[in-house]
Amino acid sequence: GAERLTLRETLSAMEALLDPRLFERIHRSRIVRIAAVAEIETREPGQYVVRLESGTCLGSGPNYRERVRQAFGLRA
């Protein structure tokens, strides 16, 4: 909804608390719920645009290329 919450924690610490079967880190500042991903578009080598069911588009980081490939079954 319109409510916003603020949490003072590193993303790495939050990632450690999440189930890796349900969530994937795609960028140093982004974690997505795998089931909420509607589409993945390939951009520059090693970079992807992840479109969520809500219509939000998020860029992946090049350091997370392999993690995105494995989580979503993409080919190199």
Side-chain angles (χ1 to χ4, degrees):
E3 187 177 346
R4 288 186 172 240
L5 302 172
T6 302
L7 178 66
R8 299 204 185 274
E9 189 66 66
T10 66
L11 209 55
S12 293
M14 289 188 62
E15 180 183 15
L17 297 174
L18 297 171
D19 186 339
R21 296 171 296 177
L22 302 176
F23 294 90
E24 186 59 53
R25 190 164 184 176
I26 63 166
H27 187 275
R28 68 181 183 160
S29 62
R30 298 181 186 111
I31 296 175
V32 297
R33 186 170 54 92
I34 294 170
V37 174
E39 181 178 42
I40 299 177
E41 181 182 326
T42 302
R43 288 289 168 105
E44 297 177 26
Q47 293 186 316
Y48 301 97
V49 173
V50 176
R51 187 174 60 80
L52 303 178
E53 291 174 342
S54 67
T56 302
C57 291
L58 303 170
S60 70
N63 293 338
Y64 294 87
R65 168 182 53 223
E66 280 305 312
R67 291 177 70 168
V68 171
R69 283 184 187 158
Q70 288 179 7
F72 298 101
L74 303 174
R75 289 191 234 170

